[in-house]
Amino acid sequence: MEISETLQTLYTATVEQDDGTYQITVPDREIATGTITEGETYRVALISTSTSEATDTETTDTIQPTDQKNEQEEYDGPPVEEGEQREVEIENLGDQGDGIAKVERGYVVIVPETDIGDRVTVEMRQVRENVAFADVVDRKPREEV
């Protein structure tokens, strides 16, 4: 999956109908962290995820407005650092076939050359505010079912 250098945010949301229009809710944390600014215009790219692949955390990722101030005070950047190694499980595949894993707070890690269900140790090679790109350093054997 190729991600543009101008990517500002990456999160999961549901398209909802409201009086003949369709809306996507932006999580309050995106405003609280300064990733995007209210009233500005942004280009939006959509990556489809079938409902059967979505988890509960993927479909409800909204912070209540009353928590916005607390979220801003508690936010201390991405939960990973460049060079850090983590064991992750690949949950989905992107449009280009790269694996997608999530760590704390739903933070997305993109891992090439992996498949859904792979458990791999990765090294973070590039960390952005809302997404990291990692390389596989070790693969766990698949468990037989």
Side-chain angles (χ1 to χ4, degrees):
M1 167 186 274
E2 278 198 40
I3 303 291
S4 169
E5 290 294 321
T6 60
L7 176 71
Q8 290 180 295
T9 185
L10 182 63
Y11 60 90
T12 301
T14 302
V15 176
E16 297 175 353
Q17 183 177 15
D18 183 27
D19 292 331
T21 64
Y22 295 89
Q23 301 176 3
I24 298 173
T25 302
V26 174
D28 286 341
R29 73 168 182 270
E30 302 300 332
I31 304 292
T33 60
T35 304
I36 59 176
T37 305
E38 185 177 357
E40 294 290 324
T41 301
Y42 296 92
R43 179 173 291 165
V44 176
L46 301 174
I47 302 170
S48 178
T49 302
S50 72
T51 305
S52 63
E53 292 176 355
T55 65
D56 290 340
T57 57
E58 288 177 317
T59 57
T60 56
D61 197 16
T62 304
I63 298 169
Q64 297 302 318
T66 55
D67 294 339
Q68 183 173 357
K69 183 176 179 186
N70 291 338
E71 179 70 13
Q72 186 173 14
E73 291 171 359
E74 295 174 14
Y75 182 79
D76 59 353
V80 298
E81 297 178 359
E82 287 185 13
E84 179 180 346
Q85 291 190 0
R86 290 275 187 110
E87 184 175 313
V88 298
E89 182 172 348
I90 305 303
E91 300 175 15
N92 288 306
L93 294 179
D95 289 342
Q96 303 297 317
D98 293 329
I100 298 174
K102 291 187 179 179
V103 295
E104 296 92 69
R105 302 187 315 257
Y107 186 83
V108 173
V109 179
I110 297 176
V111 187
E113 300 175 9
T114 55
D115 290 314
I116 293 174
D118 285 355
R119 291 197 60 79
V120 293
T121 302
V122 297
E123 183 172 326
M124 306 300 162
R125 66 177 157 79
Q126 184 179 33
V127 175
R128 296 188 186 162
E129 196 64 28
N130 294 303
V131 65
F133 301 89
D135 294 319
V136 175
V137 294
D138 188 35
R139 294 179 184 274
K140 304 290 182 210
R142 285 190 173 253
E143 294 179 13
E144 297 297 322
V145 179

